Amino acid sequence: MRNGLPAAFLFSLLLISACAVKLDGLPGDPAQLKAEPRLFCPGDPITVSWDARNMPRDESHCSVFGDAYSTAPSCATASECPSDGRCVDGYCCPSDFPPGVAQVCPNHDGCYPPFAITVTADTLTLSPPVNGENEALADSRTVTPEASTRFTATLITDGETYDMSVATEMLQLSPPSTRDFDFPFVCNGATPGWQSIDLDREYGWRERRYASDSVQVITATNTSGHAIQLRTSDPAVGPITLGAGESTDAFNGRPRGEWFASLSPTDPAFGLTPRCDATHISDPWPDLQVSVRLECTEPESD
C-alpha cells in the first residue's frame, strides 16, 4: 500500500456510517479469506490469502481516477482517452494509478469502490503486515505458525464493514490424532444414497487444501455399526469393504480429495429399501461414519 493524502482521504470516507457484517463463505460475498492447508504439522508453512475482487463495480466509482474518468469511457485507441490514459480492453485506464486505488482498469461494469482490508493472526504477526491495504485486491502472506492459528480479516468499503475469519490446526508429532468423517444419508431426488466428503473443498464450492504433505493417514476405521464400502476419488484405491469396527491401511498417505461411503450389500440394513419423495423419506438407511487416525511424519534432519 502506498501512502499519501488521497489514500488517507479515501479511507476516511470508508469509515463513515460503517456497520459490521460477518461473511459466511458464500460465492456472492464481496471478499474471501483463506488459509491453507487446514491441518499442518510443526514447521509446515501456511499461506493466508485474501480476495476482494467480488466487490461490485460501478461507473460511479471511476471518479477516484479523476474527473476525466467520472464514467468508464470506452475507447478503440489511446487517442480517445484522457491525456494520462491508455486504452485497455476497450476502456480508458490511467497510465499511473493514484495512491490508495485498486490497481485494476475500468471495464464494462465500471470500477471497484475504494476499500481497505486488514488481516491479522492470533498467534503471530504477518510480514509485511496487512493493515488498511487499499491497492491489492488479492494477495497472500506465507507464515510458519508454532501453534493452531486463527486468521481474521476486516474489509471496509462503501460504508460497510465485513468481517471474516478462518482457522488452521497444528497436529502434534505424537500421539496420533483422529478425525471423524461423517456420511449422512440423503435422498437425491428419488435416489437414496450418502453425502460424500470433499476434503479439499469448503462451503461446498471453494477449493481449500485440507492437509500438508506432513500429515498422513495411518488407519481408517469403520465406526458406523454397519458393514460399509469405502472409496476415494483416487481410482487406484477402493472400494474397500469394512465390517463394523474393522480398520484398513488402504487409504494411508496424505488425506485428500473426495471420500465416499455406502452401505455394503452384505449388511442386513441394506435389505430395507428407502423411499424418497418430495415431502417424506420412508425407511431411511443409516448414516455412516469413518474414523481416520492421522500422524505427523518426522521432519527430515539437516
Side-chain angles (χ1 to χ4, degrees), residues 4-16 61 63-65 98-102 113-116 134 156-158:
L5 182 58
F9 175 71
L10 289 172
F11 186 68
S12 67
L13 291 179
L14 292 172
L15 294 177
I16 298 175
H61 299 145
S63 60
V64 298
F65 294 131
V101 174
F115 72 98
N134 53 21
I156 303 175
T157 182
D158 265 0

Side-chain angles (χ1 to χ4, degrees), residues 22 64 85 144 176 196 279:
K22 183 174 177 58
V64 298
T144 306
S196 63
T279 59

Side-chain angles (χ1 to χ4, degrees), residues 7 22 54 71 82 101 106 109 118 122 126 133 139 154 164 190 242 244 256 290 301:
K22 183 174 177 58
N54 210 33
T71 60
V101 174
D109 291 322
T118 297
D122 62 357
L126 300 183
E133 171 61 49
D139 207 341
T154 299
M164 300 159 277
L242 296 172
R256 71 183 80 187
V290 171
S301 58

Side-chain angles (χ1 to χ4, degrees), residues 213-285:
D213 289 339
S214 301
V215 178
Q216 299 285 306
V217 175
I218 56 174
T219 186
T221 302
N222 173 19
T223 52
S224 304
H226 296 270
I228 67 169
Q229 289 186 333
L230 184 65
R231 64 182 179 90
T232 71
S233 51
D234 183 354
V237 182
I240 303 295
T241 300
L242 296 172
E246 190 175 355
S247 299
T248 180
D249 60 4
F251 303 97
N252 286 10
R254 180 170 71 85
R256 71 183 80 187
E258 197 166 6
W259 290 52
F260 307 84
S262 59
L263 199 62
S264 171
T266 63
D267 190 88
F270 190 82
L272 193 63
T273 303
R275 290 186 56 187
C276 301
D277 59 41
T279 59
H280 183 68
I281 300 175
S282 301
D283 302 321
W285 280 326

